[in-house]
Amino acid sequence: MRLTAVDEEARLLGLKPGQGAAEARAMIPDLDVVEDDPAADRALIEAVADWCDRYTPLVALDGADGLFLDITGSSHLFGGEKALLDDLLARLFHMGFEARAAISSAPGLSSALCRYSRRDIVMPEAMEEALAPLPVRALRLPEETVALLVKAGLKQAADLIGQPRAPLARRFGPRLLLRLDQALGLEEEPISPRRPVAALSAERRLAEPIGDEDAILAMLRHLGDSLKILFEARGEGGKLFELLLFRVDGRVFPIRAGAALPIRDPARIAALFRARLAAAQDDLDAGYGFETLRLNVLTSAPFDQAQPDFDGRGRTDDSLTEFIDQMAARFGPDLITRPALFESHVPERAGRFMPALAIEERPAPAWPADRPVRPLRMLTYPEPVETTAEVPDGPPKTFRWRKSFFRVARAEGPERIAPEWWIDGESAPSRDYFRIEDEAGRRYWLYREGLYERDNHDPRWFIQGVFS
């Protein structure tokens, strides 16, 4: 049992992470120890990351206890970098967190300053000066590399800066030089945002928090008006929207809503979220109210303009898509599905049902004009039949299916379809398909699985579909 983390008071009493719990209790008999819970820690840091979206949508995790915020282009919204830094730390303090923050043009240097220095803002020309007095552990190196550096007398970053690079790389590996260059801003280090970056976004910060559903929807329409201008400039409409509600105490509620076809009308967008708010009413706790609302467009698509009538509405009837949008927003996107074509020459895989909201997210493959005729009704799974057929590759003369006997009058085929070896394996048998007509004029689609001259097992017959 060892200490994984200590607070500031425990640190002043001489305790440190990695120390044995028994030793710590011997030093401080009334020590308050809480069992480590990595899952809860992860959930907490992700909740803080969601809250940091108020400053920038580009938020990434830095280990188990840190965050990277790319505030390029957003600091002026808060009165500058210093004002943003002070606002962030003040808000976290009032929420019960003791946090440190630093701003620089290199993520590696900012991470090092937060953990091993008291400097908060470092200009690009002072990066080497700020990094030099920090320990080599601040470069985010593996523990074994840090131990080797300390053993060699290289304890601070200043001991590495200006040293011949070839001997350092040969003895300690290339990662040392990479981390050093990243901290100095000589090597680019892009951060990976934990959430997808919205194509378009509109935000409103409120002087007075709101919590009423009607007030939220009214503010949502204002955000929709801002997005409509951007949509018109791009000739697009939104298909997947995300509403972020920032509560006063720091909790963030993300709510998503999708549309079957691209939309840009603020009233339609608000109607989507009215249904979503009704469905999430039990989970949405306004508390003391929401102080910031942000509407993100996660997915957009080209928007087809329609000539309006005298009443201002388009000529097309959108009642079906509006119904799909409302039902999907209220009960989930999988409630209404539609058949769709997929790229596969195996019949039972060439079509499947998909959510109606994804009607344009994956375009259906074109049906070749010279492709053989397929039955109107396809069975969900091929069903086995008993046949009397010519060998080695002739069509059936009679077959029995679902306890009924059929005598073949005409047959056309075979049409050979090879297996998809990347799914079924290289030993999967081929199929020979026949269009069959019985004496009553009914037509069926049968296939023989396996070839006499190639496959080891005896071929079997199945029925795949029924023609009209």
Side-chain angles (χ1 to χ4, degrees):
M1 300 291 291
R2 294 188 174 276
L3 303 182
T4 57
V6 297
D7 61 9
E8 191 64 25
E9 184 177 355
R11 192 183 303 274
L12 294 175
L13 294 175
L15 302 183
K16 56 185 178 180
Q19 188 175 12
E23 180 185 353
R25 288 187 182 278
M27 297 172 57
I28 307 174
D30 58 346
L31 182 66
D32 185 13
V33 178
V34 180
E35 186 176 355
D36 188 13
D37 189 348
D41 293 342
R42 178 78 177 189
L44 176 62
I45 195 68
E46 289 184 349
V48 176
D50 289 339
W51 175 83
C52 287
D53 274 357
R54 67 179 58 236
Y55 299 103
T56 172
L58 303 177
V59 181
L61 298 177
D62 177 27
D65 60 351
L67 297 172
F68 283 130
L69 278 68
D70 188 348
I71 60 173
T72 304
S74 63
S75 60
H76 68 281
L77 301 176
F78 301 87
E81 295 178 348
K82 180 62 176 177
L84 186 152
L85 190 69
D86 293 340
D87 181 74
L88 183 147
L89 293 178
R91 288 175 177 268
L92 288 176
F93 175 79
H94 289 297
M95 289 192 294
F97 293 100
E98 181 183 355
R100 297 179 183 176
I103 298 177
S104 73
S105 58
L109 178 59
S110 297
S111 176
L113 293 174
C114 287
R115 292 173 169 84
Y116 300 96
S117 177
R118 292 293 180 178
R119 298 186 63 169
D120 53 5
I121 299 179
V122 176
M123 302 305 294
E125 59 273 12
M127 293 175 62
E128 182 175 334
E129 174 193 351
L131 180 65
L134 303 185
V136 292
R137 191 182 303 274
L139 296 176
R140 298 172 295 163
L141 297 170
E143 287 297 328
E144 54 271 18
T145 304
V146 173
L148 290 176
L149 289 170
V150 174
K151 188 177 181 180
L154 304 173
K155 300 180 180 181
Q156 294 180 328
D159 299 330
L160 301 174
I161 299 174
Q163 293 288 338
R165 301 175 67 86
L168 290 176
R170 185 168 53 252
R171 184 172 181 181
F172 304 105
R175 188 174 183 179
L176 170 63
L177 298 180
L178 175 63
R179 288 301 194 190
L180 181 62
D181 290 343
Q182 288 176 342
L184 292 173
L186 303 177
E187 187 76 23
E188 189 70 21
E189 183 183 2
I191 67 173
S192 299
R194 51 186 295 273
R195 292 166 53 86
V197 180
L200 296 173
S201 181
E203 180 178 297
R204 182 65 60 89
R205 301 176 185 273
L206 307 176
E208 293 291 336
I210 61 174
D212 182 69
E213 180 178 328
D214 292 335
I216 295 175
L217 293 174
M219 194 60 59
L220 186 60
R221 283 189 286 270
H222 287 296
L223 296 176
D225 289 333
S226 301
L227 289 179
K228 185 178 180 180
I229 299 174
L230 300 176
F231 279 139
E232 292 175 347
R234 297 166 60 126
E236 295 180 342
K239 291 201 62 182
L240 181 60
F241 299 87
E242 181 183 50
L243 176 63
L244 296 178
L245 302 173
F246 294 85
R247 205 166 66 180
V248 173
D249 63 353
R251 187 174 177 184
V252 182
F253 292 88
I255 302 175
R256 291 190 179 186
L261 295 176
I263 61 174
R264 60 171 62 160
D265 182 20
R268 286 281 304 276
I269 298 174
L272 286 181
F273 282 99
R274 181 184 295 276
R276 289 293 297 124
L277 291 173
Q281 187 173 8
D282 295 337
D283 299 328
L284 187 63
D285 181 11
Y288 291 104
F290 303 108
E291 60 179 353
T292 302
L293 283 76
R294 179 184 299 162
L295 182 59
N296 294 329
V297 182
L298 301 183
T299 304
S300 60
F303 185 84
D304 294 332
Q305 295 281 3
Q307 178 67 34
D309 294 330
F310 288 107
D311 60 357
R313 296 178 59 88
R315 296 180 183 272
T316 58
D317 184 8
D318 296 333
S319 59
L320 177 59
T321 57
E322 290 183 10
F323 171 77
I324 293 175
D325 294 345
Q326 293 295 321
M327 292 299 100
R330 185 69 182 269
F331 302 105
D334 297 330
L335 176 68
I336 302 177
T337 60
R338 70 169 182 87
L341 294 175
F342 280 76
E343 292 286 0
S344 176
H345 54 266
V346 178
E348 59 266 28
R349 294 175 185 161
R352 67 187 70 172
F353 287 91
M354 61 187 299
L357 292 182
I359 189 171
E360 289 185 353
E361 291 182 6
R362 182 184 296 179
W367 192 276
D370 58 345
R371 187 167 184 173
V373 179
R374 292 291 182 258
L376 180 64
R377 179 192 174 194
M378 297 283 289
L379 302 179
T380 305
Y381 299 101
E383 299 181 9
V385 296
E386 300 176 4
T387 64
T388 301
E390 299 177 359
V391 292
D393 56 0
K397 295 298 184 181
T398 63
F399 66 94
R400 185 180 299 274
W401 174 50
R402 294 183 178 178
K403 300 182 180 180
S404 298
F405 181 80
F406 304 89
R407 190 178 300 277
V408 178
R410 298 177 180 84
E412 183 181 5
E415 175 194 349
R416 181 161 297 176
I417 296 181
E420 295 177 336
W421 55 266
W422 56 93
I423 298 177
D424 304 314
E426 297 183 359
S427 60
S430 300
R431 298 178 181 180
D432 278 352
Y433 280 83
F434 294 87
R435 288 187 288 273
I436 303 297
E437 181 177 331
D438 65 6
E439 294 178 337
R442 297 179 293 253
R443 302 172 66 216
Y444 309 90
W445 202 33
L446 276 66
Y447 72 86
R448 181 181 61 244
E449 184 180 72
L451 306 177
Y452 284 98
E453 72 274 10
R454 184 180 305 170
D455 300 316
N456 296 328
H457 58 79
D458 294 333
R460 299 179 299 167
W461 285 87
F462 296 85
I463 183 170
Q464 184 87 59
V466 179
F467 291 92
S468 58

